[in-house]
Amino acid sequence: MNAFWRFLSMFAKTLTPTTMNRTLRPLLTLAFLFWMLMATAQQQRPWEEAFANLSTAEDIESADWEDTYELLCDLEQHPIDINTATREQLQSLPFLSDKQVEDIQAYLYQYGGMKSLGELAMILSLDYNTRILLSHFVYCETKEKDFVPDIGKMLRYGHHDLIVTANVPMYERHGDKQGYLGYPYKHSVRYRFAYSNRLRFGLVGAQDAGEPFMANKNNLGYDFYSVYAEMHDIGRLKSAVAGRYRASFGMGLVMNNSFSIGKLSILSSLGNQTYGLRAHTSRSEANYLQGAAATVTVAKGLDVSGFVSCRKKDATLGHGDSTITTIVTSGYHRTETEMNKKNNISETTAGGNIHFFRMGFHLGATASYSRYSKPLQPNTALRYHLYDPTGRDFWNASADYGYTGHRFSVHGETATGGCGAVATINTVSYSPSSNLSLMAIQRFYGKKYHAMHARSYSEGGKVQNESGFYLGAQWLPTRQIKLTAYTDYAYFPAAKYQAQVSSQAWDNLVQAQYDSEHLSLSARYRLKLQEQDNDEKTALITKTTHRARLTAAVPCGDWRLATTADWAYSEDEKKSLGWMISENIGYTHRWLKMNACVGYFDTDDSDSRIYGYEQGVLYTYSYKSFYGEGIRYALSVRADLGRHLMLIAHLSTVNYFDRNHISSSYQQIDRSSQTDLELQARWRF
C-alpha cells in the first residue's frame, strides 16, 4: 500500500507536458481497458498466451523454453495436415500427451479423417485450451494426397518464405560508445523452402547487437549461420537431415539437443518426449549438431537411426590455450574477449539409435561418442565444478523402454558411459477416466554421470547430481474447467551452484482454469523451498518463494482483452515483495492485427521479479522480466497484404521510477527508460 501511495505522489509530480507520455497516457489507457474488461465479453486467445499457461518462472528463463517457443513458431508457419500426420509428427507437439495422440489417430481411423478442425471437440481427452493450441499447428486437407511424391514435383510445387527482422534500439549502451566491435542493431534473415512436411531446406543468418557485420571474424556477414535440408516420410526413409540439425532419442539421457519441457507442461503432455531428427532452424548457437543423420524403417515398427557431426564451439581456454576450462553457450561475440572465444575448439560426435514400437510397447537403445580437439579441464577449485566432465573422449549408451495404452503409460530410460556412473528416469501416467490424469516421475542422475548432449527433466538444469520424485494430477470436472497440481522434490548429493554442500528443493503448484468461447479465467499459486548458501557461505539456508497469478480474458467481436495480476514474495536472509498488474488488448480485422499491452510493476529487488507476456514479431522470445518500479507498454501492428507479404512493427518501452540508469557494465543505459523498435517483413512465394 505504501508503494501505491508513493506511486500516486510521484504521478502527481509528473503531470507536465514533457512527462505526459511517460505516465499519464499509459495509466489512463490501463484504467480504460479495465473498464472495458468489466463491461464486455472476448474471443479465443493467441497460441502464445495459451502456451504461457503451461510455463513457470524457471521455464521462461531457460534456453529449453526458448527452443520450444521457436519450434512452435516454426510449426505455426508450416502446420501439419492432421489427416496424414504420423504418430511422430503429433508427438512433436510438446503439449500433447501419448493418450491424446492415440485418441486423435483413433478418431481419424474410425471416421476416415476430419473435414474441419471443429471435429477436435469430439475427442474427449482434448480440453478447450489444448484444442485452441492444436488448431494453430494443424490443418485439414480433404483432397487425396500423393503419399510418395517425386523430388521434381516437390521442388515445383513447394513454397518459399523469406523473413527479415531488425531491432532498432532508441538508446545508447556504454558498449556502443566503446567496447563493442559492431553497431547496436540486432537483425536476422530466414529463408526456407518447403513442400508440405516432406522436403525442407533453408538458411538462417543472425546477429546480436554489438557484434561486427562483414568485419573481424565475421567476414562472411552474419555472426551466425544455420544451413539445413531435411526430408521426411519418403518410402522407407523416415527422416534425413543435413547441415545443422537436432536429434532426440529416448528420454534424453544420452542424446537430446532438441528441447525439454518444464514441470507444468510435462504434466499436460503426461511425459510425452519428442523423438527423432529435425533441422536446426533457430538462432540458438548452442544446442545443435552439424553434419548428417537419417532414420530408416527397416521393418514394420523397427527404425534405425545414425548421426555424425563435426562442428566448432566457443570455449574459455586455460593452461596456455592447451585445455578447455568452460564450453561457452551464450553465442555473444560483441567484445574482443568474447570474439577470442569464438570457434576455438572442435567437437566430433557420432552415434545411433534403434527403436522398436509395436502394439503400444516400445524398446530402444542409443549410443553416442564425442571427441574434443582439446581436453576438458574445469576449474575444480570451485566445488560445484568438482564432478564436471574431464578429458577429451566421452561415450554413453542407454536403453529406453515403455508402454502406451488407452489409460496407462510407462516410459523410462537408463544410461551409463565412460564416466562409470548411472542415470535413470522413469515416468508412469494413469487416466482412470477421460477427465482425470495422474502422473509420477522418478529420476536418479549420479553425481559423476555426464553426457555431452543430454537434456531431460530436472530441477537443477543438468542430467547430473540429482535424484527426485514428481507427482502431478490434472482433472477436468467439465470440458471448460481444468484443475492442475504438482509437487516435486529434488535432492542434490554433491555441491552445486549456490550450494557448497548437499542440498534439496521442494516445488509445489496448483492452478485452476476456465476456458470457453466467451470467457477465460485462470488462477495459479506456486510455493518453492530451496536450500542455498547464506551470504557468508558458512551454512545452508532455505529460500522460500511464493508466486501467484490471476488472469481474466473476454471477447467482444474483433477485440480481444486480457487482464493479468502477478504477485511474488521471496524470503531468505531478507524479504522481497513484488507485484504487477497488466492489460493486453488486441484487435483483428481482415488483413490488420493490432496488439497493445501496458503494465505497472513494483518489486523490492530481482528476487521478487515479475514475468510478463507480450506479443511481438515472429520467432522472437516475448516473455520479459521486470523488477524495481515502473511502467511497461508496447504496441504491435501486423499487416497481411495479400497472400504474399506480411509486415510487423513492434514498439516497446519500459520506464523506471526508481533509477536513473539501466543495467551495468557494457549494457548500461544512462537513462531511466528503454525503448526498442522491432521490424519484420515476410515474403511468401
Side-chain angles (χ1 to χ4, degrees):
M1 185 59 70
N2 289 335
F4 176 72
W5 290 114
R6 184 170 70 253
F7 167 68
L8 286 182
S9 175
M10 295 175 62
F11 170 64
K13 295 177 182 179
T14 60
L15 296 183
T16 66
T18 57
T19 58
M20 225 26 169
N21 290 335
R22 187 173 72 90
T23 52
L24 181 57
R25 289 182 182 176
L27 289 174
L28 290 177
T29 302
L30 182 61
F32 172 70
L33 294 177
F34 269 121
W35 175 79
M36 287 191 68
L37 180 64
M38 295 299 109
T40 58
Q42 172 182 349
Q43 65 190 36
Q44 66 186 33
R45 296 165 294 171
W47 71 264
E48 292 129 336
E49 289 185 69
F51 193 62
N53 287 334
L54 302 178
S55 64
T56 61
E58 284 79 0
D59 295 332
I60 292 172
E61 289 189 325
S62 72
D64 290 347
W65 201 252
E66 188 167 1
D67 290 343
T68 306
Y69 176 80
E70 291 227 16
L71 169 64
L72 292 178
C73 284
D74 191 60
L75 285 172
E76 182 192 26
Q77 299 302 304
H78 307 277
I80 302 167
D81 181 359
I82 195 169
N83 287 327
T84 60
T86 63
R87 178 172 54 87
E88 289 79 8
Q89 286 177 320
L90 292 174
Q91 285 180 328
S92 70
L93 298 168
F95 49 84
L96 288 182
S97 67
D98 283 333
K99 183 179 186 305
Q100 290 169 332
V101 170
E102 293 293 329
D103 288 350
I104 291 171
Q105 291 200 305
Y107 182 91
L108 295 173
Y109 177 79
Q110 181 177 358
Y111 296 101
M114 293 184 183
K115 292 183 171 53
S116 76
L117 293 181
E119 294 183 52
L120 292 173
M122 304 296 293
I123 302 174
L124 295 180
S125 60
L126 297 178
D127 61 272
Y128 180 84
N129 197 60
T130 303
R131 296 200 307 271
I132 294 302
L133 272 172
L134 185 59
S135 66
H136 289 278
F137 307 112
V138 298
Y139 68 97
C140 289
E141 179 64 74
T142 57
K143 66 181 181 181
E144 186 177 352
K145 303 291 290 186
D146 182 359
F147 289 97
V148 189
D150 58 70
I151 298 295
K153 179 180 177 181
M154 290 190 287
L155 292 174
R156 182 179 178 183
Y157 292 104
H159 65 265
H160 307 259
D161 282 349
L162 179 64
I163 300 177
V164 179
T165 307
N167 180 288
V168 182
M170 306 298 185
Y171 48 84
E172 189 175 48
R173 306 177 185 90
H174 281 194
D176 299 329
K177 302 174 186 176
Q178 184 176 5
Y180 288 159
L181 300 173
Y183 46 70
Y185 310 110
K186 177 181 179 180
H187 53 93
S188 64
V189 61
R190 293 173 179 266
Y191 164 75
R192 165 178 265 192
F193 170 87
Y195 176 85
S196 181
N197 295 297
R198 297 182 182 275
L199 174 65
R200 300 178 184 176
F201 56 82
L203 165 73
V204 177
Q207 162 145 0
D208 292 304
E211 294 177 338
F213 184 75
M214 297 292 292
N216 208 293
K217 290 186 178 181
N218 298 337
N219 290 327
L220 295 179
Y222 282 104
D223 179 74
F224 171 75
Y225 285 102
S226 179
V227 181
Y228 60 88
E230 61 179 335
M231 297 179 68
H232 297 278
D233 301 318
I234 308 296
R236 288 186 175 272
L237 182 64
K238 198 167 192 175
S239 300
V241 291
R244 294 185 170 175
Y245 66 94
R246 298 188 176 196
S248 177
F249 301 108
M251 298 194 72
L253 300 189
V254 171
M255 175 56 62
N256 178 15
N257 49 30
S258 185
F259 63 87
S260 61
I261 50 183
K263 297 178 182 179
L264 192 56
S265 53
I266 202 172
L267 181 57
S268 176
S269 65
L270 294 180
N272 171 34
Q273 292 286 103
T274 59
Y275 168 86
L277 307 169
R278 69 180 182 91
H280 177 64
T281 62
S282 167
R283 293 172 297 184
S284 171
E285 300 184 36
N287 297 303
Y288 65 84
L289 301 174
Q290 180 174 273
T295 299
V296 178
T297 300
V298 297
K300 186 176 182 180
L302 180 61
D303 296 334
V304 177
S305 303
F307 56 89
V308 63
S309 167
C310 185
R311 59 161 295 193
K312 296 285 189 179
K313 284 190 169 184
D314 297 358
T316 302
L317 304 180
H319 297 86
D321 293 346
S322 62
T323 63
I324 303 169
T325 303
T326 307
I327 295 177
V328 180
T329 59
S330 68
Y332 288 129
H333 306 113
R334 303 163 297 185
T335 65
E336 288 287 354
T337 300
E338 291 174 346
M339 187 61 78
N340 289 336
K341 297 178 182 180
K342 182 177 181 179
N343 295 337
N344 54 8
I345 65 168
S346 61
E347 176 200 64
T348 302
T349 300
N353 171 267
I354 299 175
H355 183 261
F356 176 76
F357 181 90
R358 191 74 181 272
M359 303 294 292
F361 292 92
H362 68 86
L363 183 66
T366 305
S368 176
Y369 168 79
S370 295
R371 179 179 177 83
Y372 291 87
S373 57
K374 302 176 188 291
L376 285 166
Q377 190 170 328
N379 181 13
T380 54
L382 300 174
R383 298 189 65 180
Y384 58 87
H385 285 316
L386 186 61
Y387 296 104
D388 283 2
T390 59
R392 178 175 289 180
D393 300 279
F394 304 92
W395 68 268
N396 294 90
S398 72
D400 62 275
Y401 37 83
Y403 168 77
T404 300
H406 182 62
R407 298 189 182 277
F408 180 76
S409 295
V410 179
H411 301 282
E413 184 177 17
T414 300
T416 187
C419 56
V422 173
T424 184
I425 181 171
N426 299 276
T427 72
V428 178
S429 61
Y430 175 59
S431 300
S433 65
S434 61
N435 60 355
L436 177 63
S437 299
L438 306 173
M439 183 178 182
I441 303 175
Q442 172 273 332
R443 75 265 190 197
F444 172 82
Y445 308 145
K447 64 183 180 183
K448 294 183 179 180
Y449 179 81
H450 48 75
M452 309 313 293
H453 297 281
R455 295 169 87 180
S456 192
Y457 178 88
S458 70
E459 165 66 33
K462 297 194 299 183
V463 182
Q464 184 185 28
N465 185 37
E466 179 177 332
S467 60
F469 198 77
Y470 171 104
L471 289 173
Q474 191 168 263
W475 180 41
L476 283 74
T478 71
R479 295 294 299 273
Q480 290 79 33
I481 298 175
K482 179 165 68 174
L483 305 177
T484 305
Y486 74 71
T487 183
D488 182 60
Y489 173 79
Y491 174 71
F492 311 99
K496 68 182 190 69
Y497 181 63
Q498 294 186 331
Q500 298 294 305
V501 296
S502 59
S503 59
Q504 55 189 343
W506 188 28
D507 191 10
N508 306 271
L509 180 142
V510 291
Q511 177 171 287
Q513 289 177 252
Y514 173 83
D515 292 295
S516 71
E517 295 181 359
H518 306 291
L519 177 66
S520 294
L521 300 171
S522 69
R524 176 191 300 180
Y525 170 71
R526 186 183 186 194
L527 169 65
K528 185 172 183 178
L529 297 89
Q530 185 166 11
E531 291 184 331
Q532 63 182 34
D533 293 329
N534 60 12
D535 290 340
E536 295 77 24
K537 299 189 183 302
T538 58
L540 290 180
I541 59 172
T542 299
K543 180 177 182 179
T544 303
T545 303
H546 305 262
R547 291 188 177 273
R549 167 173 289 183
L550 298 173
T551 302
V554 288
C556 49
D558 293 336
W559 295 86
R560 176 176 53 85
L561 305 169
T563 301
T564 302
D566 286 281
W567 174 83
Y569 177 76
S570 175
E571 182 176 0
D572 43 32
E573 293 180 308
K574 67 179 189 309
K575 299 178 180 180
S576 179
L577 176 66
W579 58 276
M580 180 176 184
I581 190 160
S582 57
E583 185 74 21
N584 188 292
I585 180 169
Y587 174 76
T588 302
H589 183 68
R590 297 172 61 189
W591 53 272
L592 180 66
K593 296 180 181 179
M594 301 178 65
N595 195 84
C597 63
V598 58
Y600 169 73
F601 58 91
D602 187 3
T603 81
D604 292 336
D605 53 39
S606 63
D607 284 347
S608 57
R609 61 191 176 275
I610 301 295
Y611 298 87
Y613 158 81
E614 65 186 49
Q615 190 171 3
V617 300
L618 300 177
Y619 297 99
T620 297
Y621 205 39
S622 54
Y623 298 94
K624 313 293 182 182
S625 65
F626 307 99
Y627 69 91
E629 185 180 10
I631 289 182
R632 170 74 174 187
Y633 41 94
L635 174 65
S636 180
V637 179
R638 170 174 169 169
D640 290 282
L641 306 177
R643 295 187 306 162
H644 303 292
L645 181 62
M646 179 207 72
L647 301 174
I648 297 179
H650 178 70
L651 182 66
S652 60
T653 298
V654 57
N655 285 333
Y656 292 97
F657 301 157
D658 60 344
R659 67 195 73 175
N660 56 18
H661 71 272
I662 302 172
S663 194
S664 60
S665 187
Y666 288 134
Q667 289 290 96
Q668 181 169 320
I669 303 168
D670 292 328
R671 55 192 295 185
S672 61
S673 66
Q674 179 178 342
T675 300
D676 288 275
L677 174 63
E678 290 181 284
L679 302 171
Q680 186 174 78
R682 183 190 67 192
W683 177 252
R684 176 168 288 177
F685 55 99

